């Protein structure tokens, strides 16, 4: 008797993300994920049981990747203002496929509202972080964060058609809200 084949969960999650990116949240089924992963529908079911744990695993993965990106962008500082700037930068410079996957994953939440709490908690944590800033920085940081999120949804849900140049121009304005004062900006060494 042969050894039972194990399914690579990461490969299945990659396949689920590719299905969402290519066809949208409505196309996320065990059949479509199995086909994209090159495994059986039963193999996907053995990994996740139902669609809800699959969506939860995708959310957790997205959260981990986001946290890694923000940590990378705030390597030398961890104050809330730096995290807002990192969020704006990460969103502005994310490639189209990753932002499309994120938007589609959020759309999938509408089909599984029990996971909406995870997203609400994620936003609550970001807004609490901003609220911890000195009073004179809270308004600009909150506006920059909310503008970034609004722009993300407007573009990726197709509500406002926007090419890459237009997208980047919007972020010039958003970044201006949270740019550190010149006195706090890192100084560069003068060339001899």
């Amino acid at each position: 008797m042969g050894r039972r084949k194990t399914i690579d969960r990461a490969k299945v999650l990659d396949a689920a993300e590719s299905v969402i990116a290519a066809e949208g949240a409505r196309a996320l089924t065990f059949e479509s994920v199995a086909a994209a992963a090159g495994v059986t529908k039963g193999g996907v079911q053995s990994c996740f049981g139902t669609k809800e744990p699959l969506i939860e695993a995708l959310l957790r993965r997205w959260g981990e990747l986001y946290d890694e990106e923000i940590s990378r962008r705030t390597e030398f500082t961890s104050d809330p203002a730096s995290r807002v700037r990192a969020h704006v930068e990460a969103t502005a410079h994310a490639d189209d496929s990753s932002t499309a996957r994120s938007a589609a994953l959020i759309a999938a939440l509408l089909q599984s509202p029990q996971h909406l709490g995870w997203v609400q908690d994620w936003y609550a944590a970001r807004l609490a972080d901003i609220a911890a800033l000195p009073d004179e920085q809270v308004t600009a940081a909150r506006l920059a964060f909310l503008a970034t999120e609004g722009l993300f949804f407007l573009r990726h849900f197709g509500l406002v058609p926007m090419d890459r140049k237009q997208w980047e121009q919007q972020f010039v304005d958003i970044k201006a809200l949270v740019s550190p004062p010149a006195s706090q900006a890192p100084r560069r060494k003068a060339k001899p």
Side-chain angles (χ1 to χ4, degrees), residues 9-75:
R9 281 177 63 96
K11 181 180 174 183
V12 174
L13 290 173
D14 289 342
E17 285 183 353
S18 70
V19 167
I20 291 171
E23 302 173 48
R26 292 196 186 279
L28 185 65
T29 64
F30 278 0
E31 293 84 2
S32 63
V33 172
V39 299
T40 65
K41 178 182 170 184
V44 177
Q45 286 176 317
S46 74
C47 283
F48 298 102
T50 66
K51 188 174 173 182
E52 285 70 30
L54 172 61
I55 292 172
E56 184 175 333
L58 288 167
L59 285 170
R60 290 193 190 287
R61 183 187 220 194
W62 176 80
E64 290 167 3
L65 291 172
Y66 172 85
D67 289 344
E68 289 171 13
E69 177 69 12
I70 298 307
S71 292
R72 187 182 63 75
R73 290 179 179 275
T74 58
E75 187 175 1

Side-chain angles (χ1 to χ4, degrees), residues 84 87-88 91 127 130 139-155 162 167 170-171 173-175 177:
V84 171
H87 176 76
V88 171
T91 304
L127 292 170
I130 291 168
T139 300
R142 186 180 315 117
L143 287 174
F145 178 79
L146 295 173
T148 298
E149 293 303 284
L151 190 59
F152 171 86
F153 287 115
L154 289 171
R155 182 181 188 208
M162 195 179 310
W167 170 257
Q170 301 302 319
F171 280 100
D173 297 335
I174 294 172
K175 289 175 193 175
L177 290 170

Side-chain angles (χ1 to χ4, degrees), residues 107-120:
L109 287 171
L110 300 176
Q111 298 175 31
S112 299
Q114 67 273 25
H115 295 297
L116 198 54
W118 185 93
V119 175
Q120 290 169 334

